[in-house]
Amino acid sequence: MAVFKVEDKDLNSFLDRLSGVINFNKDLPMNVFIGGGYLFWFFERPLLCFFEIFSGLVSNSVSSFKSDVFIKFSGGARLGNSCFSFDGSDLEKDVHWLSKNFESFFDGAVGYPMVLCDSAYKWVGFESAYEEFGVIAVKETELQKSFYEYLNSNFISMDELAELASGCTAEGIIAKALISSYSS
């Protein structure tokens, strides 16, 4: 298996850097990302239950950015067994293991919010317990063509979110709130 626990000094370093990208004092539908220059895509949560989409995100990230993908449960909490990295070498087995353990939140040891990112924070995903949609932010200056194409094919763009917002459904109401926070 090529999933690795991120612990101790590495976890502290990871969280220190991550706190420069995400404001853990905010939650969706507010914009949780620090700074500007991001493009946004949205997804129905929980992402880990969509095996092919999650696997594709990890695979496309590893091939586009040549770095591991990290997943951190329980937001900015410095908990052991809450952060993992994937190198993409045994993706099917790794994603199955993670999805299975996610069902019980690792027997109640972790929770939301959940953060996904590459090691250089060129893209960061955020999933909350409070909204039906999660968000992926990609630094516009770092966007790779194949990663962009994958996101556009498998996630909800801002334009598609605007279409959802035109309706009177629960998804439409959520979409309006996200647009209010994430449109420029």
Side-chain angles (χ1 to χ4, degrees):
M1 195 159 66
V3 172
F4 303 97
K5 286 183 191 176
V6 179
E7 296 184 296
D8 304 323
K9 288 189 330 184
D10 292 333
L11 177 60
N12 288 329
S13 176
F14 174 79
L15 286 172
D16 289 345
R17 290 181 59 212
L18 187 60
S19 66
V21 179
I22 292 193
N23 181 345
F24 285 109
N25 293 319
K26 291 183 176 181
D27 206 342
L28 298 177
M30 290 187 290
N31 186 343
V32 298
F33 300 99
I34 297 171
Y38 292 106
L39 298 174
F40 300 103
W41 285 265
F42 301 87
F43 58 90
E44 291 187 55
R45 71 168 194 89
L47 185 58
L48 288 176
C49 290
F50 298 99
F51 183 86
E52 291 83 13
I53 301 294
F54 180 71
S55 298
L57 179 65
V58 172
S59 176
N60 275 277
S61 177
V62 169
S63 65
S64 294
F65 300 108
K66 310 295 185 240
S67 69
D68 290 1
V69 171
F70 291 81
I71 184 164
K72 170 69 175 80
F73 297 96
S74 299
R78 297 179 191 273
L79 298 173
N81 298 317
S82 68
C83 188
F84 303 91
S85 70
F86 296 80
D87 66 4
S89 64
D90 198 358
L91 198 52
E92 187 173 323
K93 185 176 178 183
D94 294 342
V95 170
H96 178 73
W97 175 84
L98 184 65
S99 295
K100 189 70 178 156
N101 283 290
F102 168 73
E103 290 174 7
S104 69
F105 283 98
F106 291 86
D107 295 324
V110 298
Y112 279 113
M114 184 178 74
V115 178
L116 305 132
C117 61
D118 73 302
S119 63
Y121 308 96
K122 294 176 181 176
W123 70 270
V124 179
F126 188 89
E127 185 175 311
S128 167
Y130 301 109
E131 290 297 339
E132 294 299 315
F133 292 107
V135 62
I136 295 175
V138 183
K139 290 183 181 178
E140 189 170 9
T141 58
E142 301 292 341
L143 192 58
Q144 302 292 315
K145 183 180 180 191
S146 62
F147 195 65
Y148 174 82
E149 290 170 352
Y150 184 78
L151 292 174
N152 272 343
S153 295
N154 293 282
F155 293 89
I156 302 166
S157 69
M158 285 296 284
D159 290 340
E160 292 167 324
L161 195 66
E163 287 179 32
L164 277 173
S166 67
C168 296
T169 63
E171 289 85 7
I173 294 167
I174 295 166
K176 287 174 191 163
L178 289 169
I179 287 171
S180 172
S181 295
Y182 287 92
S183 61
S184 38

